Amino acid sequence: MSQINKLKIFNDPIYGFITIPNALIYDLVQHPYFQRLRRISQMGLSYLVYPGANHTRFHHALGCMHLMQKAVDVLRFKGVSISPDEENALYIAILLHDIGHGPFSHAMEKSIVEDVHHEEISLLFMNQLNVEFNGQLSLAIQVFKGEYNRKFMLQLISSQLDMDRMDYLKRDSFYSGVAEGNVNSERLIQMMNVVDDYLVIEEKGIYSVEKFLMSRRLMYWQAYLHKTSLVAELILMKILKRAKELTLKGVQLPCSEPLLFFMQNKVTIDTFDAETLDLFAQLDDFDIIGALKSWQKQDDFILSSLSKMIVNRDLLKIKLTSEKVAIEELQPLKERFALENNISLLETNYFIFKGKIKNQAYSKEAEPIRILKKDSTIEDVIESSDQLNLKSLSKLVTKYYICFPKQLL
């Protein structure tokens, strides 16, 4: 195929046209590992709350690369030297930063692939691709792991103000219709610079940073931690946990081969070899949804009841509170449910449980967002801002929840 044919453009509803900068990026996008992201939803089960939130991780990864192209242009214009190799490494690292996400990844990470984080799987994919592409991803992997000597390059990929967050807030806000998340990524990128190898935002961009942090906080409460999305994800975790439990007891559940492999085997980062990676690469949202549809008809009361809840969007009741919930409060509910459905008290933990969620828009412990003042001094955004609300955005807010079947109301 000629080189020219590989310089494709994508039409994106948010940024307009996204261009593929070179043949290597085109070949990475074309790779089955990357194409799989078309079948993985960016917002998991949030479409049960926001019907439009059906966009994919494929979409998001391309958006991040587009923003990275803008960032490279702005920094070069301001005199920051970025070599062609470094530029390409930035594009590859941001394009592949989420490639390790499984279907409904947070539910997967807490139930089936329990001890392996998606970032570790992203790195496994990148290393495998690096072998296939004869070492052309080596610099990108170095940057991704934070081992490259130019710190600002990692900050563009992973920090409190990176291309990833800038794209997902804008994109998730657009598709869910939650307008509060709409950040001005163009303005933020225009305000970027590099001083002493650190990414900084020029002082006149401070209000855009404040808006960005506020948007992040609101998107967490209104979308990512929305109580209905939360309870749906918790139910999915319980379903996968129960399916794994039954499979290990010898019950044969209908599902795809890759899903069956992860239910039959305990996978750790040490046992995650090339074969396991290949099976993981075959997993997507359709495996899970297909399994749920079959599992509705299973004899196991727990598995079939929970599967029906997701398929028919008839979920458990969830109550949020700012006070801790005592375990004793759940006991009468459990006893009643066990009696009514002829299950053991232990099995009621699949239907009646408690937990907590946390939201912190800005962390003082992590790498700060640095503001470059007009007198050339550099300050943490919290010190520079005249907005008292930024101090409150760095506070960790914890909410507690209990979940139980609606018929117990």
Side-chain angles (χ1 to χ4, degrees):
M1 184 186 279
S2 77
Q3 191 86 341
I4 299 300
N5 274 352
K6 294 190 175 185
L7 303 180
K8 299 281 184 191
I9 53 172
F10 287 92
N11 198 344
D12 184 75
I14 294 168
Y15 309 121
F17 292 115
I18 292 177
T19 54
I20 298 275
N22 57 52
L24 172 60
I25 301 282
Y26 173 85
D27 290 336
L28 285 168
V29 168
Q30 278 296 89
H31 195 282
Y33 285 169
F34 192 79
Q35 287 292 320
R36 158 184 163 273
L37 296 180
R38 288 183 185 272
R39 301 185 299 280
I40 295 198
S41 161
Q42 173 70 13
M43 286 180 73
L45 289 162
S46 292
Y47 64 82
L48 293 175
V49 182
Y50 300 107
N54 276 310
H55 55 301
T56 64
R57 293 198 179 272
F58 179 88
H59 218 162
H60 162 61
L62 289 174
C64 291
M65 185 194 68
H66 173 75
L67 292 181
M68 188 67 86
Q69 288 171 296
K70 299 266 181 219
V72 167
D73 288 348
V74 166
L75 292 176
R76 276 192 177 147
F77 180 73
K78 291 180 182 178
V80 180
S81 74
I82 298 172
S83 72
D85 285 349
E86 287 173 330
E87 174 184 6
N88 224 16
L90 284 170
Y91 297 160
I92 294 167
I94 197 68
L95 188 72
L96 303 179
H97 77 282
D98 266 352
I99 199 169
H101 271 290
F104 307 106
S105 64
H106 303 294
M108 286 280 292
E109 281 173 20
K110 294 192 173 82
S111 56
I112 291 190
V113 192
E114 359 184 5
D115 298 321
V116 194
H117 201 262
H118 69 263
E119 277 144 8
E120 296 175 299
I121 302 175
S122 289
L123 203 50
L124 292 172
F125 273 124
M126 286 161 103
N127 287 328
Q128 183 59 35
L129 287 166
N130 200 25
V131 172
E132 290 182 33
F133 285 87
N134 304 320
Q136 290 183 84
L137 281 72
S138 298
L139 185 57
I141 291 169
Q142 240 186 310
V143 172
F144 183 78
K145 288 163 80 173
E147 291 172 357
Y148 191 58
N149 60 2
R150 305 191 75 185
K151 294 189 195 76
F152 78 89
M153 288 177 65
L154 176 64
Q155 287 176 287
L156 287 168
I157 293 153
S158 177
S159 67
Q160 299 207 71
L161 189 65
D162 55 24
M163 301 303 118
D164 175 33
R165 290 182 183 189
M166 278 189 213
D167 181 81
Y168 78 61
L169 286 173
K170 201 172 177 66
R171 190 169 298 280
D172 296 351
S173 155
F174 177 88
Y175 281 96
S176 63
V178 178
E180 288 81 357
N182 189 6
V183 295
N184 191 346
S185 43
E186 293 277 324
R187 166 87 176 153
L188 282 163
I189 290 170
Q190 286 298 330
M191 294 297 112
M192 284 182 167
N193 208 334
V194 172
V195 175
D196 297 333
D197 211 31
Y198 284 107
L199 201 60
V200 295
I201 299 290
E202 291 160 10
E203 190 174 9
K204 54 182 182 266
I206 193 160
Y207 299 117
S208 301
V209 177
E210 287 173 0
K211 165 78 166 62
F212 169 84
L213 292 173
M214 189 49 99
S215 298
R216 189 162 185 263
R217 178 174 180 272
L218 294 173
M219 276 301 281
Y220 267 84
W221 286 135
Q222 272 183 268
Y224 311 131
L225 295 175
H226 185 289
K227 63 179 193 166
T228 307
S229 306
L230 176 65
V231 74
E233 191 169 282
L234 291 165
I235 293 169
L236 183 57
M237 268 154 50
K238 300 275 182 192
I239 293 171
L240 295 172
K241 193 172 161 224
R242 180 62 172 179
K244 188 162 191 170
E245 204 175 281
L246 293 170
T247 304
L248 294 175
K249 281 184 186 164
V251 178
Q252 288 198 316
L253 295 176
C255 68
S256 69
E257 277 178 41
L259 184 54
L260 185 61
F261 172 83
F262 286 98
M263 292 201 303
Q264 287 174 334
N265 298 282
K266 186 169 170 56
V267 178
T268 64
I269 192 69
D270 302 324
T271 59
F272 218 109
D273 54 18
E275 210 174 311
T276 311
L277 189 68
D278 201 50
L279 281 162
F280 186 85
Q282 294 171 47
L283 272 181
D284 55 46
D285 288 8
F286 297 95
D287 296 78
I288 304 290
I289 298 293
L292 295 184
K293 286 165 72 180
S294 304
W295 295 346
Q296 293 178 96
K297 300 179 186 71
Q298 287 302 300
D299 294 337
D300 183 68
F301 170 75
I302 297 170
L303 189 65
S304 68
S305 305
L306 293 173
S307 297
K308 281 175 192 157
M309 285 181 191
I310 300 277
V311 174
N312 304 318
R313 199 197 177 279
D314 188 7
L315 307 168
L316 293 170
K317 178 79 182 154
I318 180 169
K319 281 188 174 170
L320 286 179
T321 154
S322 48
E323 301 298 315
K324 244 183 177 154
V325 184
I327 195 86
E328 295 73 49
E329 287 182 49
L330 303 182
Q331 202 54 29
L333 294 174
K334 288 185 172 188
E335 285 167 8
R336 195 180 129 199
F337 192 72
L339 201 64
E340 285 174 9
N341 295 284
N342 198 21
I343 58 172
S344 70
L345 267 177
L346 187 65
E347 289 173 327
T348 62
N349 291 334
Y350 278 103
F351 298 91
I352 301 164
F353 48 89
K354 66 188 189 81
K356 62 182 177 185
I357 48 174
K358 294 175 179 176
N359 185 1
Q360 187 177 27
Y362 183 72
S363 167
K364 290 186 204 164
E365 279 70 61
E367 185 85 40
I369 295 176
R370 295 174 173 84
I371 300 295
L372 175 64
K373 311 271 285 198
K374 290 193 176 68
D375 62 5
S376 296
T377 57
I378 291 173
E379 262 185 356
D380 186 325
V381 67
I382 286 200
E383 309 309 321
S384 287
S385 168
D386 55 6
Q387 294 281 325
L388 289 170
N389 63 10
L390 272 205
K391 293 236 184 345
S392 65
L393 285 182
S394 61
K395 277 203 186 84
L396 185 65
V397 181
T398 305
K399 288 186 182 179
Y400 302 89
Y401 61 79
I402 61 167
C403 301
F404 54 90
K406 287 177 184 149
Q407 62 263 40
L408 295 179
L409 273 174

